[in-house]
Amino acid sequence: MRSAGRLISRGICTRCTCTGQRRAFASAPLNKLHHSKLTFSQLTRAGTAPHALARSWRQYTLAASVDQTTAGFKATIGLELHVQLLAAQKLFSAASAKWNEPPNTNVNVADAGFPGALPQLNPECVQLAARAILALNGQIQLRSAFDRKHYFYADQPLGYQITQQLHPIGRGGYVDLGLLDGLEYVKRIGIHQLQLEQDTAKSIHGVYPGHVLVDLNRAGVALIEIVSKPDVDTADEAVMYVRKMQNLLRHIGVSNCNMEEGSLRCDVNVSVYRDGEDRLSGTRCELKNLNSLKVIRGAVNAEISRQIAVVQRGDNVEQETRGYDAQSETTFVTRTKEAAPDYRYMPEPDVPEIHINESWITRLRKTLPETPEAVMSRMMSQYGLAQEDVETMLGEPGCTAFFEQAVVGRDPKRVLSWITSEVFGQLAYRSQRLADSLLTVPQFTQIIDALSSDAITPGQAKQLLIEFMDGEQRTVDKLIAAHGWEVISDDGKLRVISKQLLDTHPKEVARYLKGQTRRLNFFVGKLMQATNGQAKPQNASEIMKELLEARR
């Protein structure tokens, strides 16, 4: 056994059914580990590098211990997703919703809670929330209203949050998980409700000892809270549900759902019950502020194990709010039931009710794009793409449409490769989204066509891509002429340059003639350099090989 193999997030054991928790290893070494009694030290003595095996061993033993301790128990899980909307302005003010600009620059008197400042509902936020409801197969409520949720904290300048706890804009709906999501069975996760609400300000700790700074840029930014029904059974299902929500909401243009920047935040409610009991019989604990898919999986598994251990000791699980420590892989108490605040919900007197008619809903429904599942199935079939490639494009809003416009009459694999490697690379470097980029489909296709016809080299194509994304408006043909990149199609001229290069490097010629055929690449490179990249690489290789062979 030379290596520990690689963990794969969606793999299962390949040697048995392993009922219960799904296992995250499919490599031969870890399958052997799973069905053997080898210890970690025995494996390392057998030749497996400790640094390569340590992480795999820890996850294996954790999964094995979960299998043993969860026997006879099941979990009930519900999720609350707080999703920041892609609205230009805040929910109840005209201030910009760009919260990540210099502190306290995008804020007005309504966001800051000045006396007498009244909120005014942003209709764009209503439309985005309604799009999300329709995409989730839910029902837009013809009448909805706002409430005040009272609590006092430095990041809540009003002293209350305006939300829709009692009369939300959306109810019902569902998300289906299945094979395309990495699940080996079909599972429907119901949606309880979807509500509009304000985000809080951002508290900044540690700048000045003993003080907390507050940035009001985020105060009042529009959120939707999506509350699922307690239909989730495992951490894997929870992660797949959140990932699918990310893809869906990005695809329909509701949110960018970037967990790393807080555009999507997740709270999870977890309880356990004995097999055969009612699935809602357990005591619920809430895990707050889980900010990545990895953290969600770890926190849910850790909390399930903790609650089972409590029940097995004969104790009662206390209802409380908990956090998650990723280092120790444990959850910890942040607030008990007794300390939970009374939010004293009351109708919001300063914001009128929202009344929506059926004709508006019908018009909005017609604007929704094809669902991500339909897009994935169609593109895999129509263009012969792998599922992972389509998933990658679905994760970037507008990318599938960009691809389908660009691929007409062109090689799908080449177009895909350039989008996911070169274009995405430039977007990452510039911290941009494709929808915000200056690159157009005609410009991109000009690059692909010039590259396919050998009018430019791959390096020159990358340079053109950079120029287009910087705002260049000239066509590829004009840029080729401006850079002096016209292809040398005169073979006679290339032969003259090639002969000069062979005469200049007699030692390299001798090495080639002695059997070091890779020296051909040396001469091709020299020829490309001598022609400033204006020779076709294939043509250069053929001519150089012919001249070298003639010297035998």
Side-chain angles (χ1 to χ4, degrees), residues 79 81 83 131-139 171-183 185-194 226-233 236-249 252 371-373:
L79 296 95
L81 301 183
V83 181
R131 285 176 68 84
I133 298 162
L134 293 177
L136 291 168
N137 310 291
Q139 296 80 46
R171 294 189 186 275
Y174 57 87
V175 169
D176 284 333
L177 303 178
L179 291 175
L180 288 177
D181 306 299
L183 203 60
Y185 48 89
V186 176
K187 182 65 177 288
R188 174 164 291 185
I189 312 298
I191 305 297
H192 172 60
Q193 69 181 45
L194 184 151
I226 305 172
V227 183
S228 81
K229 293 181 179 179
D231 294 340
V232 180
D233 296 325
D236 279 346
E237 289 180 4
V239 169
M240 292 174 194
Y241 169 84
V242 175
R243 184 188 290 120
K244 191 153 192 172
M245 278 289 191
Q246 282 182 303
N247 288 337
L248 176 63
L249 296 175
I252 64 175
T371 65
E373 292 89 346

Coordinates of all heavy atoms in Angstrom, one line a residue, residues 79 81 83 131-139 171-183 185-194 226-233 236-249 252 371-373:
L79 N -33.7 23.5 7.9 CA -32.7 24.5 7.6 C -33.4 25.9 7.4 O -34.5 25.9 6.8 CB -31.9 24.2 6.4 CG -31.0 22.9 6.5 CD1 -31.7 21.7 5.9 CD2 -29.6 23.1 5.8
L81 N -32.2 29.4 5.5 CA -31.3 30.1 4.7 C -31.6 31.5 4.6 O -32.7 31.9 4.3 CB -31.2 29.5 3.3 CG -31.0 28.0 3.2 CD1 -30.9 27.6 1.7 CD2 -29.7 27.6 3.9
V83 N -30.6 34.7 2.6 CA -30.1 34.9 1.3 C -30.2 36.4 0.9 O -31.2 37.0 0.9 CB -30.9 34.1 0.2 CG1 -30.2 34.3 -1.2 CG2 -30.9 32.6 0.5
R131 N -39.7 35.7 -7.6 CA -39.0 34.8 -8.5 C -38.5 33.5 -7.8 O -38.6 32.4 -8.3 CB -37.8 35.5 -9.2 CG -38.2 36.5 -10.3 CD -37.0 37.2 -10.8 NE -36.1 36.3 -11.5 CZ -36.2 36.0 -12.8 NH1 -37.2 36.5 -13.5 NH2 -35.4 35.2 -13.5
A132 N -37.9 33.8 -6.6 CA -37.4 32.6 -5.8 C -38.6 31.7 -5.5 O -38.4 30.4 -5.5 CB -36.7 33.1 -4.6
I133 N -39.7 32.2 -5.1 CA -40.9 31.4 -4.7 C -41.3 30.5 -5.9 O -41.5 29.3 -5.7 CB -42.0 32.3 -4.2 CG1 -41.6 33.0 -3.0 CG2 -43.3 31.4 -3.9 CD1 -42.5 34.2 -2.6
L134 N -41.5 31.2 -7.0 CA -41.9 30.4 -8.2 C -40.9 29.3 -8.6 O -41.3 28.2 -9.0 CB -42.1 31.4 -9.4 CG -43.3 32.4 -9.2 CD1 -43.3 33.3 -10.4 CD2 -44.6 31.7 -9.1
A135 N -39.6 29.7 -8.5 CA -38.6 28.7 -8.9 C -38.6 27.5 -7.9 O -38.2 26.4 -8.3 CB -37.2 29.3 -8.9
L136 N -39.0 27.7 -6.7 CA -39.1 26.7 -5.7 C -40.4 25.9 -5.7 O -40.7 25.2 -4.7 CB -38.8 27.3 -4.3 CG -37.4 27.7 -4.1 CD1 -37.3 28.6 -2.8 CD2 -36.4 26.6 -4.0
N137 N -41.2 26.2 -6.7 CA -42.5 25.5 -6.8 C -43.5 25.9 -5.7 O -44.4 25.1 -5.3 CB -42.4 24.0 -6.8 CG -41.3 23.6 -7.8 OD1 -41.5 23.7 -9.0 ND2 -40.2 23.1 -7.4
G138 N -43.3 27.1 -5.1 CA -44.2 27.6 -4.1 C -45.3 28.5 -4.5 O -45.5 28.7 -5.7
Q139 N -46.1 29.0 -3.6 CA -47.2 29.9 -3.9 C -46.9 31.3 -3.4 O -46.7 31.5 -2.2 CB -48.5 29.3 -3.2 CG -48.9 28.0 -3.7 CD -48.2 26.8 -3.1 OE1 -48.0 26.8 -1.9 NE2 -47.7 25.9 -3.9
R171 N -45.3 30.8 0.5 CA -45.5 29.6 1.3 C -45.4 28.4 0.4 O -45.7 28.4 -0.8 CB -46.9 29.6 2.0 CG -47.0 30.6 3.1 CD -48.3 30.4 3.9 NE -48.6 31.5 4.8 CZ -48.1 31.6 6.1 NH1 -47.3 30.6 6.5 NH2 -48.4 32.6 6.9
G172 N -45.0 27.2 1.0 CA -45.0 26.0 0.3 C -43.8 25.9 -0.7 O -42.9 26.8 -0.7
G173 N -43.9 24.8 -1.5 CA -42.8 24.6 -2.4 C -41.9 23.4 -2.0 O -42.1 22.9 -0.9
Y174 N -40.9 23.1 -2.8 CA -40.1 22.0 -2.5 C -38.8 22.0 -3.3 O -38.7 22.7 -4.4 CB -40.8 20.7 -2.7 CG -41.3 20.5 -4.1 CD1 -40.5 20.0 -5.1 CD2 -42.6 20.9 -4.4 CE1 -41.0 19.8 -6.4 CE2 -43.1 20.7 -5.7 CZ -42.3 20.2 -6.7 OH -42.8 20.1 -8.0
V175 N -37.8 21.3 -2.9 CA -36.6 21.0 -3.7 C -36.4 19.5 -3.7 O -36.5 18.8 -2.7 CB -35.4 21.6 -3.0 CG1 -34.1 21.1 -3.6 CG2 -35.4 23.2 -3.1
D176 N -36.2 19.0 -4.9 CA -36.0 17.5 -5.1 C -34.5 17.2 -5.2 O -33.8 17.9 -6.0 CB -36.7 17.0 -6.4 CG -38.2 16.9 -6.1 OD1 -38.7 16.7 -5.0 OD2 -39.0 17.0 -7.1
L177 N -34.0 16.3 -4.5 CA -32.7 15.8 -4.6 C -32.7 14.4 -5.2 O -33.6 13.6 -5.0 CB -32.0 15.7 -3.2 CG -32.0 17.0 -2.4 CD1 -31.4 16.8 -1.0 CD2 -31.2 18.1 -3.1
G178 N -31.6 14.1 -6.0 CA -31.6 12.8 -6.7 C -30.2 12.5 -7.2 O -29.2 13.0 -6.7
L179 N -30.1 11.7 -8.2 CA -28.8 11.2 -8.7 C -27.9 12.4 -9.2 O -26.7 12.3 -9.0 CB -29.1 10.2 -9.9 CG -29.7 8.9 -9.5 CD1 -30.0 8.1 -10.7 CD2 -28.7 8.1 -8.5
L180 N -28.5 13.4 -9.9 CA -27.7 14.5 -10.4 C -27.1 15.3 -9.2 O -26.1 16.0 -9.4 CB -28.5 15.4 -11.3 CG -28.9 14.8 -12.7 CD1 -29.8 15.8 -13.4 CD2 -27.6 14.5 -13.5
D181 N -27.7 15.2 -8.1 CA -27.1 15.9 -6.9 C -26.1 15.1 -6.1 O -25.6 15.5 -5.1 CB -28.3 16.3 -6.0 CG -29.3 17.1 -6.8 OD1 -29.0 18.2 -7.3 OD2 -30.5 16.7 -6.9
G182 N -25.9 13.8 -6.5 CA -25.0 12.9 -5.8 C -25.7 12.0 -4.7 O -25.1 11.4 -4.0
L183 N -27.1 12.1 -4.8 CA -27.8 11.2 -3.8 C -28.3 10.0 -4.6 O -28.6 10.0 -5.8 CB -29.1 12.0 -3.4 CG -29.7 11.6 -2.0 CD1 -28.7 11.7 -0.9 CD2 -30.9 12.4 -1.7
Y185 N -30.8 8.1 -4.0 CA -32.2 7.9 -4.0 C -32.9 9.3 -4.2 O -32.2 10.3 -4.2 CB -32.7 7.3 -2.6 CG -32.1 8.0 -1.4 CD1 -32.7 9.1 -0.8 CD2 -30.9 7.6 -0.9 CE1 -32.2 9.8 0.2 CE2 -30.3 8.3 0.2 CZ -31.0 9.4 0.8 OH -30.4 10.0 1.8
V186 N -34.2 9.3 -4.4 CA -34.9 10.6 -4.6 C -35.5 11.1 -3.3 O -36.1 10.3 -2.6 CB -36.0 10.4 -5.7 CG1 -36.8 11.7 -5.8 CG2 -35.4 10.0 -7.0
K187 N -35.2 12.3 -3.0 CA -35.7 12.9 -1.7 C -36.3 14.3 -2.0 O -35.7 15.1 -2.6 CB -34.5 13.0 -0.7 CG -34.9 13.5 0.7 CD -35.8 12.6 1.4 CE -36.2 13.0 2.8 NZ -35.0 12.9 3.7
R188 N -37.5 14.5 -1.5 CA -38.1 15.8 -1.6 C -38.1 16.6 -0.3 O -38.5 16.1 0.7 CB -39.6 15.7 -2.1 CG -40.4 17.0 -2.1 CD -41.6 16.9 -2.9 NE -41.3 16.8 -4.4 CZ -42.2 16.7 -5.3 NH1 -43.5 16.8 -5.0 NH2 -41.9 16.6 -6.6
I189 N -37.5 17.8 -0.3 CA -37.4 18.6 0.9 C -38.4 19.7 0.7 O -38.3 20.6 -0.2 CB -36.0 19.2 1.0 CG1 -34.9 18.2 0.9 CG2 -35.9 20.0 2.3 CD1 -34.9 17.1 1.9
G190 N -39.4 19.8 1.6 CA -40.5 20.8 1.5 C -40.0 22.1 2.0 O -39.1 22.2 2.9
I191 N -40.6 23.2 1.5 CA -40.4 24.5 2.0 C -41.6 25.0 2.8 O -42.7 24.9 2.4 CB -40.2 25.5 0.8 CG1 -39.1 25.0 -0.2 CG2 -39.9 26.9 1.3 CD1 -37.7 25.0 0.5
H192 N -41.3 25.5 4.0 CA -42.4 25.9 4.9 C -42.8 27.3 4.5 O -44.0 27.6 4.2 CB -42.0 25.9 6.3 CG -42.9 26.6 7.3 ND1 -44.2 26.1 7.4 CD2 -42.8 27.7 8.1 CE1 -44.8 26.9 8.3 NE2 -44.0 27.9 8.7
Q193 N -41.9 28.3 4.4 CA -42.2 29.6 4.0 C -41.0 30.4 3.5 O -39.9 30.0 3.8 CB -42.9 30.4 5.1 CG -42.1 30.8 6.3 CD -42.9 31.6 7.3 OE1 -44.0 31.2 7.7 NE2 -42.3 32.6 7.9
L194 N -41.2 31.5 2.8 CA -40.2 32.4 2.3 C -40.6 33.8 2.7 O -41.7 34.2 2.3 CB -39.9 32.2 0.8 CG -38.8 33.0 0.2 CD1 -38.3 32.2 -1.0 CD2 -39.2 34.4 -0.2
I226 N -35.5 31.5 3.8 CA -36.1 30.4 3.3 C -36.1 29.3 4.3 O -35.0 28.8 4.7 CB -35.5 29.8 2.0 CG1 -35.4 30.9 0.9 CG2 -36.2 28.6 1.4 CD1 -34.6 30.6 -0.3
V227 N -37.3 29.0 4.9 CA -37.4 28.0 6.0 C -37.9 26.7 5.4 O -39.0 26.6 4.9 CB -38.4 28.5 7.1 CG1 -38.4 27.6 8.2 CG2 -37.9 29.9 7.5
S228 N -37.1 25.7 5.6 CA -37.5 24.3 5.1 C -38.3 23.6 6.1 O -38.4 24.0 7.3 CB -36.3 23.5 4.8 OG -35.7 22.9 5.9
K229 N -39.1 22.6 5.7 CA -39.7 21.7 6.6 C -38.7 20.8 7.2 O -37.6 20.6 6.6 CB -40.8 21.0 5.8 CG -42.0 21.9 5.4 CD -43.1 21.0 4.7 CE -44.2 22.0 4.3 NZ -45.3 21.2 3.6
P230 N -39.0 20.1 8.3 CA -38.0 19.2 8.9 C -37.9 17.9 8.2 O -38.2 16.8 8.8 CB -38.5 19.1 10.3 CG -40.0 19.3 10.2 CD -40.2 20.3 9.1
D231 N -37.6 17.9 6.9 CA -37.6 16.7 6.0 C -36.3 16.1 5.8 O -36.1 15.1 5.2 CB -38.3 17.1 4.7 CG -39.7 17.4 4.8 OD1 -40.4 17.1 5.8 OD2 -40.2 18.1 3.8
V232 N -35.2 16.8 6.3 CA -33.8 16.3 6.0 C -33.5 15.3 7.1 O -33.7 15.5 8.3 CB -32.9 17.5 6.0 CG1 -31.5 17.1 5.8 CG2 -33.3 18.6 5.0
D233 N -32.8 14.3 6.7 CA -32.4 13.2 7.6 C -30.9 13.1 7.9 O -30.6 12.6 9.0 CB -32.8 11.8 7.0 CG -34.3 11.7 6.8 OD1 -35.1 12.2 7.7 OD2 -34.8 11.1 5.9
D236 N -25.4 14.9 4.8 CA -25.2 14.9 3.4 C -26.4 15.5 2.7 O -26.2 16.3 1.7 CB -25.0 13.4 2.8 CG -23.6 12.9 3.0 OD1 -22.7 13.8 3.3 OD2 -23.4 11.7 2.9
E237 N -27.6 15.1 3.1 CA -28.8 15.7 2.5 C -28.9 17.2 2.7 O -29.2 18.0 1.8 CB -30.1 15.1 3.0 CG -30.3 13.6 2.6 CD -31.6 13.0 3.1 OE1 -32.3 13.7 3.9 OE2 -31.8 11.8 2.9
A238 N -28.5 17.7 3.9 CA -28.4 19.1 4.2 C -27.5 19.8 3.3 O -27.8 20.9 2.8 CB -28.0 19.3 5.7
V239 N -26.3 19.3 3.1 CA -25.3 19.9 2.2 C -25.8 20.0 0.8 O -25.7 21.0 0.1 CB -24.0 19.2 2.3 CG1 -23.0 19.7 1.2 CG2 -23.3 19.4 3.7
M240 N -26.4 18.9 0.3 CA -26.9 18.9 -1.1 C -28.1 19.9 -1.2 O -28.2 20.5 -2.3 CB -27.4 17.4 -1.4 CG -26.2 16.4 -1.5 SD -26.9 14.8 -1.8 CE -25.4 13.8 -1.4
Y241 N -28.9 20.0 -0.2 CA -30.0 20.9 -0.3 C -29.5 22.4 -0.4 O -29.9 23.2 -1.3 CB -30.8 20.8 1.0 CG -31.9 21.9 1.2 CD1 -33.1 21.8 0.6 CD2 -31.6 23.0 2.1 CE1 -34.1 22.8 0.9 CE2 -32.5 23.9 2.3 CZ -33.8 23.9 1.7 OH -34.7 24.9 1.9
V242 N -28.5 22.7 0.4 CA -27.9 24.1 0.4 C -27.2 24.3 -1.0 O -27.4 25.4 -1.6 CB -26.9 24.3 1.5 CG1 -26.3 25.7 1.4 CG2 -27.7 24.2 2.9
R243 N -26.5 23.3 -1.5 CA -25.8 23.5 -2.7 C -26.8 23.7 -3.9 O -26.6 24.5 -4.8 CB -24.9 22.2 -3.0 CG -24.1 22.4 -4.3 CD -23.4 21.1 -4.7 NE -22.3 20.8 -3.7 CZ -22.2 19.7 -3.0 NH1 -23.2 18.8 -3.0 NH2 -21.2 19.5 -2.2
K244 N -27.9 22.9 -3.8 CA -28.9 23.0 -4.9 C -29.5 24.4 -4.8 O -29.8 25.0 -5.8 CB -29.9 21.9 -4.8 CG -30.8 21.8 -6.0 CD -31.3 20.4 -6.1 CE -32.0 20.2 -7.5 NZ -32.4 18.8 -7.8
M245 N -29.8 24.9 -3.6 CA -30.4 26.2 -3.4 C -29.4 27.3 -4.0 O -29.8 28.2 -4.7 CB -30.6 26.5 -2.0 CG -31.9 26.0 -1.4 SD -33.3 26.9 -2.1 CE -34.6 26.2 -1.0
Q246 N -28.1 27.1 -3.8 CA -27.1 28.1 -4.3 C -27.2 28.1 -5.9 O -27.3 29.2 -6.5 CB -25.7 27.6 -4.0 CG -25.3 28.0 -2.5 CD -23.9 27.6 -2.3 OE1 -23.5 26.4 -2.5 NE2 -23.0 28.5 -1.9
N247 N -27.2 26.9 -6.5 CA -27.2 26.9 -7.9 C -28.5 27.5 -8.5 O -28.5 28.2 -9.5 CB -27.1 25.4 -8.4 CG -25.7 24.9 -8.2 OD1 -24.7 25.7 -8.1 ND2 -25.5 23.6 -8.1
L248 N -29.6 27.1 -7.8 CA -30.9 27.6 -8.3 C -31.1 29.1 -8.2 O -31.4 29.8 -9.2 CB -32.1 26.9 -7.6 CG -33.5 27.4 -7.9 CD1 -33.8 27.1 -9.3 CD2 -34.5 26.8 -6.9
L249 N -30.7 29.7 -7.1 CA -30.9 31.1 -6.9 C -29.9 31.9 -7.7 O -30.2 33.1 -8.1 CB -30.7 31.5 -5.4 CG -31.8 30.8 -4.5 CD1 -31.5 31.1 -3.0 CD2 -33.2 31.3 -4.8
I252 N -31.3 31.9 -11.5 CA -32.5 32.8 -11.8 C -32.2 34.2 -11.5 O -33.1 35.1 -11.6 CB -33.7 32.3 -11.0 CG1 -33.6 32.4 -9.5 CG2 -34.1 30.9 -11.4 CD1 -34.8 32.1 -8.7
T371 N -35.1 25.4 -15.7 CA -34.5 25.0 -14.4 C -33.1 24.5 -14.6 O -32.8 23.9 -15.6 CB -35.4 24.0 -13.8 OG1 -35.4 22.8 -14.6 CG2 -36.8 24.5 -13.6
P372 N -32.3 24.6 -13.5 CA -30.9 24.0 -13.6 C -30.9 22.5 -14.0 O -30.0 22.1 -14.7 CB -30.4 24.3 -12.2 CG -31.1 25.4 -11.7 CD -32.5 25.3 -12.3
E373 N -31.9 21.7 -13.4 CA -31.9 20.3 -13.8 C -32.2 20.1 -15.3 O -31.5 19.3 -15.9 CB -33.0 19.6 -13.0 CG -32.7 19.5 -11.5 CD -33.3 20.8 -10.7 OE1 -33.6 21.8 -11.4 OE2 -33.3 20.7 -9.5

